[in-house]
Amino acid sequence: MSEIKDKDLAAFMKGVKRRNPGEPEFHQAVHEVAMDIIPYIRNDERIKKMQILERMTEPDRIISFRVIWEDDEGNIRVNRGYRVQQNNAIGPYKGGIRFHPTVTQSVLKFLAFEQVFKNSLTGLPLGGGKGGADFNPKGKSDREIMRFCQAFMTELSKYIGPNTDVPAGDIGVGGREVGYMFGQYKRLMDRFEGVLTGKGIEFGGSKIRPEATGYGVVYMMECMLGTKGDNLEGKRCAVSGSGNVATFCAEKLLELGAKVISLSDSGGTIYVEDGLTSENLQWVMDLKSKGGRMSECVDGFGAKYYEGNRPWALPCDLAFPCATQNEIEAADARALVKNGCIAISEGANMPSDPDAIEIIRESPVMHAPSKAANAGGVAVSGLEMSQNSLRMSWTREEVDAHLKNIITNIHTQCVDKGKADDGHVDYFKGANIAGFDKVANAMLAYGAL
Ligand code: NDP
Ligand code: 2IT
């Protein structure tokens, strides 16, 4: 990362690092926001006096707990679970749960911090939080997953509620895990209430929730291309990941006439020169639901496969990072720019590292940050909460129309707050400022203490 030239920003980051030692992902997420917000609030004495940005970088609370479960061989296993309740100024804490061996407090703090801004951008009454565990679901049996989810929820249930904190899925947590966790909550509390989102349709889930993040990422891309009078038709799209977000992003791209030339997992990348067919994509979805690996696509439908989990060196028009944080580094960004990529819509949270952002910022590539581009998932979670409160269920068409409206509105907010005099839109700046404004105003309204 280049040296910080802004003195206020440097002093602010020094404080953040001192208070949060050894948490690089959290420092990175805060820095990405602060570099836009510090200049923005420089002359706002009220926001500075009330220490709004300092307060926003300090989670309301972090709950950390032991999760004990029994594997199929009868061994007792111990993991660490967390919930970071970051900020509830504009609504109950809301954000996903990640099960992955790389989960640490730093990772969950970065995700919870980002979630506050993202949820604010949706325009829905949602605060920000995130949770998870350093549990590795890979290779675990269905019964083991169930026992882990139940053990995790036994402790988490004490801290959440439909008006307090409403978790959902993230990496390693999909419909099956949410079902096990919801079942355990109901068993423990004897209450049927919308305490989790991403539930099965039979027990209060919203239509389109599984698809929402991936679809929203594509809707954001459509909005960006629309500003140039362009569209998705025939565009060559590099997509990374092969989980929930990546596969539904690919599905929407195919539906709208684009070509999906890649998908990946932590083992490697598949490349299909003419683009995946819908049948290929369905094959991948079935494969992933059985825990398969992308390398199997070679025999499955003749895809090219190479080790290395990044497709960014493949010439493409559009890029959709949908796997994990920091999956686009400087060399990847340079390759994308050099190969003529027009725009990037981020499905994963914080997929571009600071050097990559800088390189892309200096290029003509349009770049929608995750807090704007992947907000469709949490937005439909918010709609699931509304439907649960109303004890109603909306149609696919109704939910999809809301989702499109919300993403279009987020795009408009980014343009409003991020457009420079020369017409160039800095989507990072726009998203950071628009997300910040609403939360800051609510915090100011509540008074200082
Ligand atoms: P899934 O668990 O469904 O899929 C994750 C995918 O990313 C898999 O292909 C996985 O490969 C790959 N992956 C995970 N960790 C790594 C890693 N360290 N290096 C390389 N590849 C990795 O998760 P989702 O699709 O739900 O989440 C993907 C991203 O989208 C995350 O950043 C998440 O925070 C974000 N997101 C998710 C939302 C949701 O509603 N689910 C909403 C908004 C954002 P492998 O199988 O090999 O591990
Ligand atoms: O990062 C995210 O926005 C999510 N994992 C979804 C959160 C949610 O509450 O639906």
Side-chain angles (χ1 to χ4, degrees):
M1 211 193 311
S2 55
E3 177 206 350
I4 303 177
K5 293 196 190 84
D6 182 318
K7 281 206 182 88
D8 294 336
L9 177 59
F12 177 78
M13 284 312 300
K14 201 171 157 198
V16 168
K17 288 181 182 168
R18 182 177 47 74
R19 287 194 301 279
N20 303 278
E23 298 191 335
E25 294 87 359
F26 181 61
H27 303 164
Q28 183 184 332
V30 171
H31 182 253
E32 189 189 303
V33 167
M35 60 195 281
D36 291 321
I37 299 302
I38 298 259
Y40 176 65
I41 61 175
R42 188 145 13 237
N43 300 318
D44 192 327
E45 290 310 322
R46 198 159 165 240
I47 286 200
K48 285 202 296 190
K49 183 162 185 292
M50 290 296 179
Q51 299 272 305
I52 295 296
L53 189 59
E54 289 75 4
R55 283 156 64 183
M56 284 172 77
T57 54
E58 192 63 35
D60 289 354
R61 68 191 64 76
I62 300 175
I63 300 136
S64 154
F65 50 93
R66 187 177 60 213
V67 186
I68 313 164
W69 57 285
E70 189 180 352
D71 69 20
D72 287 345
E73 278 73 52
N75 303 308
I76 299 301
R77 309 279 289 261
V78 184
N79 285 93
R80 188 173 299 168
Y82 304 87
R83 187 73 183 163
V84 180
Q85 297 182 332
Q86 185 75 23
N87 186 301
N88 66 353
I90 61 168
Y93 305 109
K94 180 85 197 88
I97 290 183
R98 178 176 291 193
F99 291 162
H100 197 271
T102 57
V103 162
T104 59
Q105 183 167 294
S106 170
V107 167
L108 296 180
K109 279 171 72 176
F110 114 63
L111 289 162
F113 179 74
E114 287 274 293
Q115 198 81 42
V116 174
F117 294 82
K118 181 194 310 191
N119 294 3
S120 166
L121 286 168
T122 66
L124 300 172
L126 303 169
K130 200 85 187 190
D134 59 356
F135 169 73
N136 187 359
K138 273 204 199 101
K140 302 288 188 298
S141 71
D142 188 56
R143 304 286 291 178
E144 289 177 325
I145 299 282
M146 180 187 79
R147 286 195 293 273
F148 182 82
C149 289
Q150 291 175 341
F152 182 83
M153 183 50 86
T154 299
E155 186 61 23
L156 186 68
S157 61
K158 298 170 191 167
Y159 309 102
I160 60 175
N163 297 307
T164 315
D165 184 352
V166 184
D170 194 78
I171 290 178
V173 177
R176 174 181 62 164
E177 291 74 16
V178 168
Y180 289 145
M181 286 193 270
F182 184 74
Q184 182 72 348
Y185 180 88
K186 192 173 67 57
R187 208 172 278 126
L188 289 167
M189 303 303 211
D190 207 14
R191 282 201 297 269
F192 193 105
E193 54 193 13
V195 69
L196 289 167
T197 59
K199 301 184 290 298
I201 295 289
E202 307 78 10
F203 50 97
S206 176
K207 302 208 173 69
I208 305 268
R209 177 61 189 89
E211 298 91 334
T213 313
Y215 281 14
V217 170
V218 177
Y219 295 154
M220 177 57 75
M221 182 60 89
E222 273 194 304
C223 290
M224 286 197 291
L225 293 174
T227 64
K228 309 274 178 201
D230 203 351
N231 62 40
L232 287 163
E233 190 66 42
K235 295 285 186 304
R236 294 177 64 77
C237 303
V239 180
S240 67
S242 50
N244 171 270
V245 179
T247 51
F248 285 111
C249 169
E251 182 177 278
K252 185 53 80 177
L253 286 171
L254 293 189
E255 190 189 315
L256 296 175
K259 282 190 194 318
V260 176
I261 60 165
S262 71
L263 289 171
S264 67
D265 61 19
S266 52
T269 301
I270 60 158
Y271 173 53
V272 181
E273 193 171 353
D274 296 333
L276 289 168
T277 62
S278 306
E279 290 72 31
N280 297 157
L281 181 59
Q282 191 54 54
W283 195 90
V284 171
M285 287 175 164
D286 294 343
L287 173 80
K288 295 309 275 192
S289 70
K290 290 181 285 202
R293 310 299 299 156
M294 291 314 284
S295 53
E296 295 173 54
C297 297
V298 177
D299 290 339
F301 55 89
K304 285 190 183 140
Y305 178 81
Y306 60 88
E307 283 179 12
N309 53 7
R310 298 177 185 184
W312 316 127
L314 301 169
C316 64
D317 301 311
L318 307 174
F320 297 87
C322 295
T324 194
Q325 61 268 14
N326 292 330
E327 55 169 316
I328 301 185
E329 296 177 306
D332 306 307
R334 272 189 217 105
L336 285 167
V337 173
K338 182 172 143 268
N339 289 334
C341 174
I342 306 166
I344 304 169
S345 183
E346 296 186 343
N349 283 307
M350 202 170 75
S352 312
D353 84 357
D355 294 333
I357 294 173
E358 214 168 290
I359 290 163
I360 298 162
R361 242 185 188 140
E362 284 161 10
S363 80
V365 178
M366 294 183 282
H367 191 186
S370 48
K371 57 175 81 71
N374 75 23
V378 75
V380 174
S381 279
L383 302 178
E384 183 169 326
M385 290 163 71
S386 304
Q387 292 170 78
N388 292 165
S389 298
L390 291 166
R391 300 195 189 288
M392 274 180 64
S393 141
W394 299 334
T395 62
R396 271 186 84 84
E397 291 70 27
E398 284 171 309
V399 178
D400 197 35
H402 279 300
L403 170 60
K404 263 191 194 145
N405 273 336
I406 290 169
I407 297 290
T408 306
N409 185 265
I410 292 175
H411 180 265
T412 305
Q413 294 178 65
C414 291
V415 173
D416 283 352
K417 303 284 184 186
K419 198 171 193 166
D421 291 341
D422 65 0
H424 176 75
V425 180
D426 182 337
Y427 285 89
F428 277 67
K429 181 176 170 194
N432 285 335
I433 292 177
F436 174 81
D437 267 348
K438 196 170 151 196
V439 180
N441 288 338
M443 290 171 76
L444 286 173
Y446 299 147
L449 302 172

